[in-house]
C-alpha cells in the first residue's frame, strides 16, 4: 500500500509531464501548427491591405487591428486544444492516465499549459509580422507587462474553455465545430471596425461581449492611451470564463470517465 501511494504522481508533476506530452504531439503535427498560425496572419494582412483603406478608425488601420488579430490567433490556437482533448477521450488515452491514478484536473491542465505556450509563441509571431508592416506600439515597460499579463489571462481562460468543449464533444470533428464561437467572437467586437459603424441592433452585444474589453485594453496599453476600467472588466471576464470552465470540466471529466 505504501509503495502504491509513493508511486502516485503529484498533480503539479503530472500536469507538467502531460504539458510536455501535448507539446511533443504538436511538434509532430507541423501542418496543423502552420495552419493555426498562418490563417490569423493572412486575415490580418487581408484586412490591412484589402480593406484598411476603406475603414476610418482615426489612426492607421494596422495600429487599430493588431489587438484583434492577436486574439483571433489565440482563438485558432485554443481550438486545437479542444480537438486534442476530444482525441484523447476517443482513443482511450484518458483511461490509461486514470489507471495511473492521475486526476482530471492535472490531465486537462497539461493540455491547457501546452495551449498557453503555443499561443504565446503564435501571438508573438503575429505581433512580429505587425511590426514589420508598420505597427508601432508606444507602451512603457509597465504597459507591455500589463498587456502581456492580460493576454496570458485571456489565453488561459479560453484554453480551459476549449478543454471543456473537448470533453463535451463526442468526436474530434465535433470539438472543432464547438470552438467555432471562439473564432467568430472577434468579428462582432471592436477588433476590426469601430462598434459605432455596426448596425444599431448589434451595438449592445458588441459592447458587452467578453472580447471587446480585452481588445480595448490591449489597444490602450500598447498605444499608451487611457484604458479606463476596461482592463478590470476584461480580467473579470477572463476569471469568470476560466473558473466556470475549470468547474464544468471537472464535472464532465468525472461523467465521461466513469
Amino acid at each position: 500500500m505504501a509503495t502504491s501511494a509513493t508511486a502516485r504522481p503529484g498533480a503539479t508533476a503530472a500536469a507538467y509531464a502531460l504539458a510536455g506530452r501535448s507539446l511533443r504531439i504538436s511538434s509532430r503535427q507541423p501542418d496543423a501548427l502552420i495552419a493555426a498560425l498562418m490563417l490569423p496572419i493572412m486575415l490580418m494582412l487581408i484586412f490591412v491591405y484589402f480593406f484598411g483603406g476603406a475603414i476610418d478608425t482615426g489612426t492607421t488601420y494596422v495600429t487599430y487591428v493588431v489587438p484583434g488579430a492577436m486574439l483571433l490567433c489565440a482563438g485558432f490556437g485554443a481550438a486545437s486544444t479542444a480537438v486534442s482533448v476530444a482525441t484523447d477521450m476517443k482513443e482511450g488515452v484518458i483511461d490509461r492516465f486514470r489507471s495511473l491514478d492521475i486526476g482530471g484536473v492535472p490531465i486537462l491542465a497539461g493540455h491547457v499549459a501546452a495551449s498557453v505556450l503555443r499561443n504565446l509563441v503564435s501571438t508573438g509571431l503575429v505581433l512580429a509580422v505587425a511590426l514589420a508592416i508598420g505597427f508601432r506600439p508606444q507602451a512603457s515597460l509597465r504597459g507591455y507587462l500589463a498587456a502581456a499579463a492580460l493576454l496570458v489571462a485571456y489565453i488561459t481562460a479560453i484554453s480551459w474553455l476549449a478543454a471543456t468543449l473537448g470533453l463535451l464533444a463526442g468526436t474530434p470533428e465535433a470539438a472543432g465545430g464547438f470552438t467555432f464561437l471562439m473564432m467568430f467572437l472577434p468579428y462582432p467586437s471592436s477588433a476590426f471596425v469601430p462598434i459605432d459603424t455596426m448596425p444599431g441592433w448589434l451595438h449592445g452585444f458588441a459592447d458587452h461581449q467578453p472580447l471587446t474589453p480585452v481588445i480595448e485594453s490591449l489597444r490602450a496599453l500598447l498605444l499608451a492611451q487611457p484604458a479606463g476600467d476596461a482592463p478590470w472588466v476584461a480580467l473579470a471576464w477572463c476569471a469568470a470564463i476560466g473558473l466556470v470552465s475549470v468547474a464544468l470540466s471537472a464535472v464532465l471529466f468525472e461523467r465521461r470517465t466513469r
Side-chain angles (χ1 to χ4, degrees):
M1 187 67 67
T3 304
S4 170
T6 304
R8 180 178 179 176
T12 302
Y16 179 82
L18 292 170
R21 168 185 174 268
S22 295
L23 289 173
R24 287 192 295 273
I25 291 174
S26 297
S27 69
R28 297 173 193 144
Q29 300 172 334
D31 51 343
L33 286 174
I34 292 172
L37 173 62
M38 290 306 298
L39 189 53
I41 290 177
M42 290 299 297
L43 286 172
M44 179 175 67
L45 295 176
I46 287 171
F47 272 97
V48 170
Y49 290 114
F50 292 5
F51 308 133
I55 301 174
D56 182 14
T57 61
T59 183
T60 57
Y61 188 67
V62 66
T63 299
Y64 183 87
V65 80
V66 167
M70 293 169 69
L71 295 198
L72 186 66
C73 182
F76 278 103
S80 66
T81 302
V83 174
S84 297
V85 171
T87 300
D88 281 354
M89 295 296 296
K90 181 180 179 181
E91 294 181 353
V93 175
I94 300 294
D95 292 333
R96 275 174 250 155
F97 290 148
R98 292 286 279 170
S99 69
L100 298 173
D101 204 14
I102 299 175
V105 171
I107 292 172
L108 297 178
H111 280 285
V112 170
S115 174
V116 171
L117 291 174
R118 287 194 305 265
N119 279 313
L120 287 176
V121 172
S122 60
T123 52
L125 290 175
V126 168
L127 180 59
V129 172
L131 291 170
I133 64 175
F135 178 57
R136 296 295 178 264
Q138 300 171 7
S140 62
L141 177 60
R142 183 178 178 182
Y144 281 119
L145 292 176
L150 178 57
L151 189 60
V152 170
Y154 173 76
I155 291 173
T156 303
I158 64 166
S159 295
W160 271 110
L161 176 59
T164 304
L165 293 175
L167 288 174
L168 191 62
T171 64
E173 294 77 15
F178 284 178
T179 56
F180 171 77
L181 182 61
M182 290 189 297
M183 295 181 283
F184 172 76
L185 273 181
Y187 296 100
S189 73
S190 62
F192 301 109
V193 297
I195 291 175
D196 59 12
T197 65
M198 298 178 183
W201 55 267
L202 190 55
H203 286 188
F205 177 79
D207 278 325
H208 298 100
Q209 65 127 311
L211 266 66
T212 294
V214 178
I215 291 167
E216 293 295 331
S217 299
L218 289 175
R219 188 175 288 134
L221 291 169
L222 291 174
L223 300 178
Q225 297 173 349
D229 62 353
W232 300 112
V233 176
L235 287 173
W237 270 114
C238 292
I241 292 170
L243 291 173
V244 170
S245 297
V246 170
L248 185 57
S249 66
V251 174
L252 288 172
F253 187 89
E254 288 302 320
R255 291 185 177 179
R256 290 289 307 274
T257 56
R258 281 177 181 171

